Amino acid sequence: MTSISTRAHSADAHKHGVLFVFAAGVLWSTVGIGIRMIDDAVVWQILLYRSISMSLFLYILFRMRSGESPFVQIRRIGSPVVVAGLSLVAAYSGGIYSIQNTSVANAMLLFATAPFMAAVLGWIVLRERVRFATWIAIVVAIGGIAIMVADKSGSVALKGSLAALGSAFGFAAFTVALRWGRTGEMLPAVFLSGLFAFAITLAICFGLGLSVVLSPNDGFISMGMGGASRCRSDPLHAGLT
């Protein structure tokens, strides 16, 4: 009876996981629209405000759900959370920069290479088996990427395409880090990425002489992205990791 109950729970978790992953994809696709609606803010200013709202939201959520600080959970899990948090900073930075410097369609297509990168990283780092069909898909994807990037050579769009690939690699590294720390709660990694991004972008803004005060429109949209990012993190505890 226990075995049947366990299988039923696992099946439900998987269904919820698939639903959350689909929702995450939909929410991630709205980032391009949000960034296009920003008037003057550059990538570092956007990330600064986005990180503030995301970290505050998640801190309150952790307190309400578990009654303990996310820092306690971070210390309990250790290195996988830190690696995942840093990977997300790279993913977010590259994602926003790419959308500001190339077309949304081009950036989104390059973001879609993240699963292939994750498969290769998982094979290298975690020694997870990769199917032959997956290797074929990876080779085809690399060929398509080469054509797309070559078409953008000699322009600002090339930097945007390379940043999109860097973002995809960040998400791939994040995925592998989740697998590494799958025995524990990995949602604190998203909270930690917000703190990392806040510290890094604040230093960059001061270093480049960028204002940390945005217009109401840019500030509202940037902080709204932080809330959407938390929703995109739901698959972390939905039975798919």
Side-chain angles (χ1 to χ4, degrees):
M1 189 70 177
T2 303
S3 177
I4 295 175
S5 176
T6 301
R7 286 198 299 269
H9 175 75
S10 178
D12 288 341
H14 181 76
K15 290 177 182 178
H16 290 146
V18 171
L19 178 62
F20 280 128
V21 168
F22 176 77
V26 173
L27 287 169
W28 178 242
S29 68
T30 65
V31 172
I33 299 174
I35 292 174
R36 290 294 194 228
M37 293 172 63
I38 288 177
D39 297 323
D40 303 309
V42 299
V43 56
W44 307 117
Q45 294 168 312
I46 296 170
L47 276 173
L48 178 65
Y49 274 68
R50 179 189 168 284
S51 302
I52 293 172
S53 65
M54 182 176 68
S55 295
L56 286 175
F57 185 91
L58 285 172
Y59 185 84
I60 295 171
L61 178 68
F62 280 122
R63 283 296 191 180
M64 293 177 61
R65 285 181 53 189
S66 63
E68 65 179 4
S69 167
F71 295 105
V72 174
Q73 299 182 26
I74 290 169
R75 286 195 298 270
R76 186 160 56 233
I77 300 170
S79 298
V81 172
V82 177
V83 173
L86 289 172
S87 298
L88 278 182
V89 174
Y92 297 149
S93 303
I96 293 175
Y97 181 88
S98 66
I99 293 175
Q100 287 189 321
N101 290 276
T102 188
S103 68
V104 173
N106 187 58
M108 290 299 169
L109 285 172
L110 292 173
F111 292 158
T113 62
F116 301 123
M117 294 184 184
V120 175
L121 277 178
W123 174 64
I124 295 172
V125 177
L126 303 177
R127 300 300 180 186
E128 292 188 344
R129 178 178 174 272
V130 180
R131 295 184 305 163
F132 179 75
T134 303
W135 284 117
I136 297 298
I138 291 172
V139 171
V140 173
I142 291 174
I145 291 169
I147 294 172
M148 292 173 64
V149 173
D151 185 54
K152 302 295 186 294
S153 61
S155 67
V156 176
L158 175 61
K159 295 181 179 179
S161 296
L162 294 176
L165 288 175
S167 176
F169 183 82
F171 278 118
F174 173 65
T175 302
V176 173
L178 293 186
R179 290 289 295 168
W180 179 20
R182 62 185 178 275
T183 56
E185 170 66 83
M186 287 296 289
L187 190 56
V190 183
F191 169 78
L192 191 60
S193 74
L195 297 185
F196 285 151
F198 173 77
I200 293 170
T201 55
L202 185 63
I204 291 175
C205 284
F206 283 135
L208 296 178
L210 297 173
S211 174
V212 295
V213 179
L214 301 184
S215 67
N217 176 73
D218 289 1
F220 178 78
I221 294 174
S222 298
M223 296 190 77
M225 290 181 188
S229 296
R230 185 268 152 184
C231 296
R232 290 196 298 271
S233 70
D234 277 338
L236 305 188
H237 52 108
L240 290 184
T241 53

